[in-house]
Amino acid sequence: MTTIARSTDTLTRDALAVLQPGFTGTTAPEWLLRQIDEGLSSVGLFGRNIESPEQLAALTQQLRDVREDILVAIDEEGGDVTRLEVRNGSSFPGNLALGAVDDPDLTRLVAHELGRRLAECGVNLNWAPSADVNSNPGNPVIGVRSFGADTALVARHTAAYVEGLQAAGVAACTKHFPGHGDTAVDSHHAMPRIDADMETLHARELVPFRAAIAADTKSVMSAHILLPALDAERPATLSPHILTGLLRGELGYDGLIVTDGMEMQAIAAVYGIERGSVLAIAAGADAICVGGGLADEQTVLSLRDALVAAVRSGELPAERLADAAARVRALAAWTRQSREISVPGAAVQEGTAPGNENSDEIGLIAARRALKVTVTEAHTALESAPYVAAFTPVANIAVGDETPWGVAAELAALLPGTETGTFGADAAVDSVLAAAGERRIVAVVRDEHRHPWMAAALDALLAARPDTVVVEMGVPQAAARGALHIATHGAARVCGRAAAEVIAS
């Protein structure tokens, strides 16, 4: 690319530096390269940007050809939320599976291997892990993305995940501060509210974030949630009381604060993304995440101009914007140093980071250990290929509906001839029985406890076919039932494979 004359002033460059925008396509568009040359310091990647590790490495190199120390961020939690393997499903189980095993060393290993693969592709900031305590089992957006409902468990695994990821040279972004686990509303759609008192928040929500800070998490992501005990007027992302008073002051955190996606309706529908971004930086945030839905140059320019105008009007102190930009650049410097002093895998070989000869299979090892299998006397080994009935709820936006999940493909590899059907909220059990014929049925559910239609369909199916195998791939809350019941604690591809191995054995 032809170098573009640097005509922007310091204020404009600082405004660009605090943005983390997305874009469309599997190569960097010209407008994005131009904005990086003008001062943009971060880019966010999504599933739409990724086809293969080789293509991703070429894309990140495109960005670094313009700015060597650019932050390349991704939302790669593993498990249900994957961008690196969006088309096939993740090679790593998610947080709930790791929490179910409850081996922090294993969590550290999984996070390190995931980080190593990201680093090899040129990604140096991961919007993970989720440190939310999933205290509300009806939570529509966290669920299996949490390590669990026990505060101490979540805290120790959050710290282990941060340590493993950052040992690979990829900055962790612990989220969603100050805790999204006790919500019943998805902030992608509306403003969630947590009415817990201060004592509860300190004893539950904040404990994992304290652990992450002690583990030196390089960034923290704010949540678009209202917590009246902390701030009755503004959600956490826009609250000086929460970001500056609590996170910076009381918890002593001095790293980068990143917002959750500003086009999410909890912010966009109430404040608008321009106004919301100004308020977020003024409140203490350092980086504005945007681009999951809005992914064009005009979005970048409008946010840049809104921040510049706010400084010039006196609404946003120039020093606050400069401080935010400095933190972005400091993290970029850390990731660049980490990349330059390490060779992929070298830290493991030298014993300075977790790893062993099973690193390529560590995800499957973890998924197998996470299974909870309940066998009844009614269960007999499958003698032929089964019929898989997948009861499929609408996926939340964080997970997306483009990533395949279930056990059918993995079972078909082990038991050729396995067939499958997908059934939604209008599922008729008679149609499942007709499609299955005489074959054994494997019923796959996801968060049965949150979907009455799913529970009813499973009740009817088990009444007709008590030899049915049940696989729960969400948060297991309902009692184990079926001739064989397998709780995978997540719907990653490796979770499906681990379950299929048990079914086919």
Side-chain angles (χ1 to χ4, degrees):
M1 182 185 108
T2 302
T3 301
I4 299 170
R6 297 182 179 276
S7 58
T8 54
D9 59 18
T10 300
L11 175 58
T12 302
R13 294 185 69 81
D14 284 349
L16 282 171
V18 304
L19 303 180
Q20 290 189 351
F23 61 95
T24 58
T26 53
T27 59
E30 181 64 24
W31 71 261
L32 181 65
L33 301 178
R34 182 171 58 252
Q35 293 304 322
I36 292 171
D37 193 62
E38 291 287 335
L40 188 68
S41 299
S42 309
V43 171
L45 299 179
F46 297 86
R48 63 183 179 236
N49 304 122
I50 300 169
E51 291 180 341
S52 69
E54 296 77 16
Q55 168 270 324
L56 178 55
L59 169 58
T60 60
Q61 188 57 53
Q62 261 192 297
L63 304 176
R64 289 199 169 85
D65 285 343
V66 181
R67 185 184 185 96
E68 178 62 25
D69 63 346
I70 192 165
L71 284 172
V72 182
I74 198 169
D75 192 2
E76 182 57 52
E77 299 177 15
D80 291 33
V81 180
T82 179
R83 312 305 183 213
L84 197 61
E85 299 182 274
V86 66
R87 289 167 177 77
N88 298 309
S90 182
S91 300
F92 303 94
N95 285 2
L96 188 65
L98 295 172
V101 178
D102 195 14
D103 179 351
D105 288 338
L106 178 66
T107 295
R108 198 174 290 108
L109 284 167
V110 168
H112 183 270
E113 177 60 17
L114 177 57
R116 186 189 66 79
R117 296 187 190 186
L118 290 173
E120 285 187 338
C121 295
V123 177
N124 54 13
L125 171 59
N126 190 9
W127 294 320
S130 168
D132 308 298
V133 180
N134 199 52
S135 55
N136 181 353
N139 196 313
V141 69
I142 302 300
V144 296
R145 301 168 66 198
S146 167
F147 289 110
D150 179 84
T151 299
L153 179 147
V154 174
R156 60 179 170 266
H157 286 276
T158 296
Y161 196 105
V162 168
E163 292 165 355
L165 188 65
Q166 293 186 169
V170 176
C173 186
T174 306
K175 62 188 184 185
H176 306 79
F177 186 81
H180 210 310
D182 192 19
T183 56
V185 173
D186 184 344
S187 51
H188 290 89
H189 301 298
M191 182 76 75
R193 177 186 174 113
I194 295 178
D195 286 311
D197 57 28
M198 287 293 294
E199 182 179 358
T200 300
L201 293 174
H202 277 277
R204 186 179 65 189
E205 270 73 19
L206 297 180
V207 173
F209 290 96
R210 291 183 184 273
I213 293 168
D216 194 29
T217 184
K218 297 301 178 184
S219 61
V220 169
M221 178 176 283
S222 66
H224 305 329
I225 55 176
L226 191 66
L227 300 99
L230 298 174
D231 189 328
E233 301 297 327
R234 290 186 179 177
T237 295
L238 311 184
S239 171
H241 299 296
I242 294 174
L243 298 189
T244 300
L246 177 60
L247 183 53
R248 292 273 187 231
E250 186 173 340
L251 272 61
Y253 177 66
D254 194 41
L256 188 76
I257 300 176
V258 184
T259 72
D260 207 344
M262 295 302 285
E263 66 267 58
M264 293 164 64
Q265 290 302 296
I267 298 296
V270 180
Y271 301 92
I273 63 168
E274 291 88 355
R275 176 69 176 158
S277 296
V278 170
L279 292 174
I281 297 295
D286 305 304
I288 301 296
C289 176
V290 66
L294 301 172
D296 55 28
E297 185 173 23
Q298 185 53 49
T299 297
V300 173
L301 296 178
S302 65
L303 294 178
R304 179 202 67 184
D305 292 347
L307 292 167
V308 169
V311 171
R312 289 177 174 162
S313 71
E315 180 183 11
L316 175 63
E319 296 79 9
R320 170 78 275 273
L321 181 60
D323 173 64
R327 280 195 169 90
V328 173
R329 294 169 186 138
L331 180 56
W334 178 86
T335 61
R336 182 178 181 181
Q337 180 184 36
S338 297
R339 181 164 54 93
E340 289 177 347
I341 65 175
S342 64
V343 176
V348 172
Q349 296 164 14
E350 295 167 5
T352 58
N356 57 33
E357 67 277 6
N358 294 319
S359 61
D360 287 344
E361 293 294 319
I362 193 64
L364 181 57
I365 292 169
R368 288 168 175 158
R369 290 182 63 186
L371 295 181
K372 182 179 180 181
V373 180
T374 305
V375 185
T376 71
E377 293 180 356
H379 178 63
T380 57
L382 273 68
E383 297 180 353
S384 58
Y387 180 81
V388 178
F391 295 96
T392 306
V394 176
N396 71 60
I397 294 176
V399 172
D401 57 8
E402 68 269 43
T403 303
W405 67 281
V407 302
E410 302 297 335
L411 258 180
L414 299 173
L415 297 172
T418 296
E419 296 184 9
T420 188
T422 300
F423 303 89
D426 57 351
V429 171
D430 287 346
S431 61
V432 176
L433 296 172
E438 298 300 314
R439 289 172 291 184
R440 285 282 294 277
I441 298 174
V442 176
V444 183
V445 295
R446 197 171 183 178
D447 288 343
E448 178 199 342
H449 67 285
R450 292 201 304 110
H451 304 287
W453 67 266
M454 193 181 295
L458 193 56
D459 286 341
L461 181 59
L462 289 171
R465 296 285 295 272
D467 64 346
T468 293
V469 174
V470 178
V471 182
E472 168 62 86
M473 303 195 79
V475 179
Q477 292 287 315
R481 51 196 180 137
L484 171 67
H485 185 276
I486 303 172
T488 63
H489 300 94
R493 176 172 52 84
V494 287
C495 297
R497 179 175 168 183
E501 291 173 347
V502 173
I503 297 168
S505 63

